[in-house]
Amino acid sequence: MHYEEMSNLLVEAADLVTEDRKAQYGDFKKNHEDIAAMWSVVLGTKIHAYQVALCMVSVKICRSTNPTIYTRDNYVDAAAYMAMAGTLQQDKTGDLT
C-alpha cells in the first residue's frame, strides 16, 4: 500500500509540472530563470534557476514540520520542485547521466 501511495504522489507531482503549473505559469525552466534573475537583484548575488527550485523545496519542508497537520500539497510540491531542481542543474552542468 505504501508503494502505491508513494507512486501516486510522484505521478501527481509530475502532472503538476507538465500540466497544471505549465498551463498557469508556462515552462518551468523559463519561470525559474526569471525568478532567479529577480532574486539575484534583490539579494545582490548570482542565483541560478536550480537554486530557486531548491529554496522552494525548503519552503515546503518547513511547512511540513507541523506534526499535527498533514497537508499533501506540501509533499507533492516538494517532489515536483526537487525534480525541477535536478533537471535544471543537470541542464546547467550538461551532465546527462
Side-chain angles (χ1 to χ4, degrees):
M1 181 170 140
H2 294 291
Y3 289 108
E4 182 178 335
E5 176 56 24
M6 188 171 41
S7 294
N8 290 341
L9 189 143
L10 292 171
V11 167
E12 189 176 339
D15 288 346
L16 278 179
V17 176
T18 60
E19 295 174 12
D20 295 351
R21 297 298 192 270
K22 185 176 182 181
Q24 289 177 324
Y25 305 115
D27 179 68
F28 77 86
K29 181 179 179 187
K30 169 87 169 82
N31 184 256
H32 283 73
E33 287 171 345
D34 291 346
I35 295 168
M38 181 65 71
W39 286 8
S40 294
V41 172
V42 171
L43 298 172
T45 190
K46 176 70 175 159
I47 304 296
H48 300 280
Y50 77 91
Q51 293 171 313
V52 170
L54 289 175
C55 288
M56 295 307 296
V57 170
S58 299
V59 168
K60 294 299 182 170
I61 289 171
C62 288
R63 289 180 178 174
S64 299
T65 60
N66 184 337
T68 61
I69 299 173
Y70 168 75
T71 305
R72 180 181 175 83
D73 177 72
N74 290 326
Y75 296 92
V76 172
D77 285 355
Y81 281 122
M82 199 64 195
M84 287 186 275
T87 301
L88 291 165
Q89 189 170 19
Q90 182 182 45
D91 188 50
K92 181 183 180 309
T93 64
D95 183 2
L96 301 177
T97 59

